[in-house]
Amino acid sequence: MPADGRSPRPRVIRCVLPAVLFCVCALVYGLTVSTNPSPDAFSADFAAWHIARTGEPVPDISDFPLLDDNPIRETWIVETADGREAVGRAPGVIAAAVPAYAILRPTSISAVPGGLAAALLSAGSVMLLFLLLRDRTGSRTALVAAGLLGFASPVWAVAADAMWPHTLTTLGILGMAWAADRRRWWLVGLFGGVALWGRLHAALICGVLGLGLAWARRRPGIAVRVGTAAGSMLALVSVWTRWMYGSWDPTSGYRTGDFGQRAADNVLHLANYLGFVVSADRGLLWWSPLLVLLVPAAWRNRRELPDWSRWLAAGGGSYLLSQAVLNRFSGGDHFYSYRTSLELVVSLAPALALSAHMMSDRARRWFTPVAVLQVVLIAPGAVLDSFYVPVADVWWRNAFLDALLRRPLDLLPLAACALLVSLIAVRLLRSPRLLRILEQDAPTPVRTSAPVQSTGVL
């Protein structure tokens, strides 16, 4: 026993809990990665595999028939400065998968190494949310919040399923939140850089967070530190595009002309904005009904929330607006649930978790059934790769309901397993023995931006 007379057990529990959470997420994600993901992700895997195998940035597109023979191949192909065809994807989704291909060294192109890399990064994102929340809400509520983000949202069905841009933006957003809570402004900028390596316009989230905190706290140095670190990461994007495409332009991996045309078409397109919320297969309200219970609580609690959580939510909203202008709400096809609004949900997650204690009595009664429902909705498509709705039908067809009607024998066993596991998790989280263990994970004094508070919920 230490000289101060305190048992070392709480310290062990404090270290073990996030490690166990990471391992559980990594295991589940790793076992359910897609072996045949969308060409959006598979083309990035192809580029990463080629780099790991040869050290050269530009592959021969004919080596990958899935891409070369695709009728819309120009979606994933850009031209380098010297006129060659190259895979045009966000720098981060290629770079992040290269180590996995270098370690596993598959003899032919496979999506599995890229998927495993995405699984590990996504497990790290979920763990960051837990670490962020536990000193404010207690370990039990932090576990519930992290578990719901990890298994009742497209973090599982999309970000952890293959190496999508959302794999990196999710990690970057939660990293920014964790660092801002601890006033580590350089790290806020570095995590913001991770997000923009996934999607360039995710820099909006970092910018709103850094500038908002600098203005609210009357401390320009915050913006300087965040901006310097994020700007350095943006400069590295230019280094990457110079090596890969022969241009210092950080947008070289995109067909920027397409975005310009879409912006002109979408800026006043009301249906495109509504699609993010209410469309049958891409709408937030269909897949994330918990928002209906939690958003009103967060609004009531907005003045008590730490300022960084409010600015992070504002950054997520700004990002979604830019996404709506630059792209379609549908986000293409060959994926399950939604993806283009995932960044908003992740940006809202800390504020929603910190406001759970403000839910009305009716919302509290509905919380557990709706949370279990979300897991049941997400799990089948996260486990099995074939529950997709064609992009032309996303307004009026929902992938879960579609599979329930057309493929019940495939869907129902997965949904039943998800329901059973969810109910077991609820039972465990209410068990006195686990509660005693979690109570030993006492908050450690940390340099946070607001006092610790307990939600007293769940």
Side-chain angles (χ1 to χ4, degrees):
M1 181 171 290
D4 58 11
R6 289 181 294 182
S7 169
R9 188 178 180 187
R11 299 178 186 177
V12 173
I13 292 173
R14 190 163 182 81
C15 295
V16 167
L17 274 178
V20 169
L21 177 64
F22 174 86
C23 290
V24 169
C25 290
L27 178 62
V28 174
Y29 293 165
L31 291 173
T32 58
V33 296
S34 176
T35 57
N36 184 31
S38 162
D40 283 33
F42 218 157
S43 59
D45 290 339
F46 172 58
W49 170 70
H50 178 79
I51 292 170
R53 189 168 57 96
T54 67
E56 296 295 324
V58 181
D60 186 346
I61 304 299
S62 63
D63 290 342
F64 190 29
L66 177 67
L67 182 59
D68 196 35
D69 297 340
N70 198 297
I72 55 171
R73 69 192 296 277
E74 68 276 2
T75 304
W76 306 283
I77 301 294
V78 297
E79 190 174 286
T80 64
D82 59 3
R84 292 181 292 168
E85 287 188 329
V87 173
R89 304 304 299 151
V93 295
I94 298 174
V98 170
Y101 285 96
I103 293 169
L104 298 178
R105 305 191 69 82
T107 55
S108 59
I109 177 59
S110 165
V112 172
L116 292 176
L120 292 175
L121 292 175
S122 298
S125 300
V126 174
M127 184 181 70
L128 272 174
L129 180 62
F130 172 78
L131 292 174
L132 164 67
L133 293 174
R134 71 170 172 182
D135 288 329
R136 291 181 170 275
T137 67
S139 292
R140 184 167 177 263
T141 299
L143 273 176
V144 172
L148 287 175
L149 184 69
F151 296 107
S153 83
V155 168
W156 184 14
V158 175
D161 195 52
M163 190 60 79
W164 289 89
H166 317 287
T167 310
L168 296 169
T169 54
T170 297
L171 178 63
I173 291 167
L174 293 173
M176 282 188 276
W178 175 85
D181 190 49
R182 284 151 178 77
R183 303 180 187 178
R184 299 179 182 179
W185 309 121
W186 293 103
L187 281 178
V188 172
L190 288 175
F191 276 112
V194 171
L196 71 84
W197 268 70
R199 275 199 163 164
L200 275 176
H201 55 295
L204 268 174
I205 304 173
C206 183
V208 170
L209 178 62
L211 291 172
L213 287 173
W215 175 79
R217 301 186 184 190
R218 303 297 189 266
R219 291 181 56 194
I222 293 176
V224 172
R225 292 181 179 89
V226 172
T228 300
S232 299
M233 294 290 282
L234 179 60
L236 289 177
V237 172
S238 293
V239 172
W240 173 273
T241 58
R242 178 67 177 86
W243 174 67
M244 190 152 188
Y245 305 112
S247 170
W248 293 102
D249 181 355
T251 67
S252 298
Y254 300 89
R255 289 157 46 93
T256 52
D258 293 349
F259 292 116
Q261 180 59 48
R262 289 172 188 160
D265 296 338
N266 290 343
V267 66
L268 297 177
H269 198 304
L270 180 60
N272 192 54
Y273 293 98
L274 291 175
F276 287 95
V277 182
V278 298
S279 63
D281 198 59
R282 300 291 191 263
L284 283 172
L285 296 183
W286 284 84
W287 296 103
S288 299
L290 275 176
L291 292 174
V292 176
L293 306 180
L294 291 170
V295 169
W299 178 254
R300 287 192 294 269
N301 192 46
R302 64 191 184 280
R303 300 186 190 282
E304 304 303 321
L305 287 170
D307 55 357
W308 59 261
S309 68
R310 296 194 298 268
W311 287 110
L312 187 70
S318 301
Y319 171 87
L320 186 64
L321 286 175
S322 71
Q323 181 68 21
V325 170
L326 294 173
N327 211 336
R328 300 180 303 275
F329 76 90
S330 59
D333 51 18
H334 206 76
F335 65 91
Y336 185 80
S337 70
Y338 61 88
R339 70 180 185 90
T340 49
S341 42
L342 178 57
E343 286 76 11
L344 173 63
V345 172
V346 175
S347 297
L348 289 173
L352 298 179
L354 292 170
S355 301
H357 65 291
M358 294 294 290
M359 284 192 296
S360 66
D361 290 340
R362 179 178 294 180
R364 287 170 183 266
R365 289 194 296 271
W366 279 100
F367 182 87
T368 298
V370 175
V372 171
L373 173 64
Q374 271 196 213
V375 177
V376 172
L377 289 174
I378 289 292
V383 174
L384 202 61
D385 287 338
S386 57
F387 295 132
Y388 304 130
V389 166
V391 67
D393 298 339
V394 296
W395 265 107
W396 59 279
R397 285 172 59 185
N398 174 274
F400 183 91
L401 297 177
D402 210 46
L404 184 62
L405 295 173
R406 298 168 185 247
R407 300 173 54 190
L409 295 181
D410 292 329
L411 179 86
L412 289 176
L414 296 173
C417 288
L419 176 62
L420 178 62
V421 172
S422 299
L423 293 176
I424 291 172
V426 170
R427 181 73 178 269
L428 285 174
L429 286 166
R430 291 174 174 172
S431 68
R433 184 174 182 180
L434 181 62
L435 288 176
R436 285 194 297 270
I437 293 174
L438 295 179
E439 285 172 359
Q440 296 182 58
D441 183 18
T444 296
V446 293
R447 190 173 176 231
T448 59
S449 55
V452 172
Q453 58 176 305
S454 174
T455 64
V457 77
L458 305 174

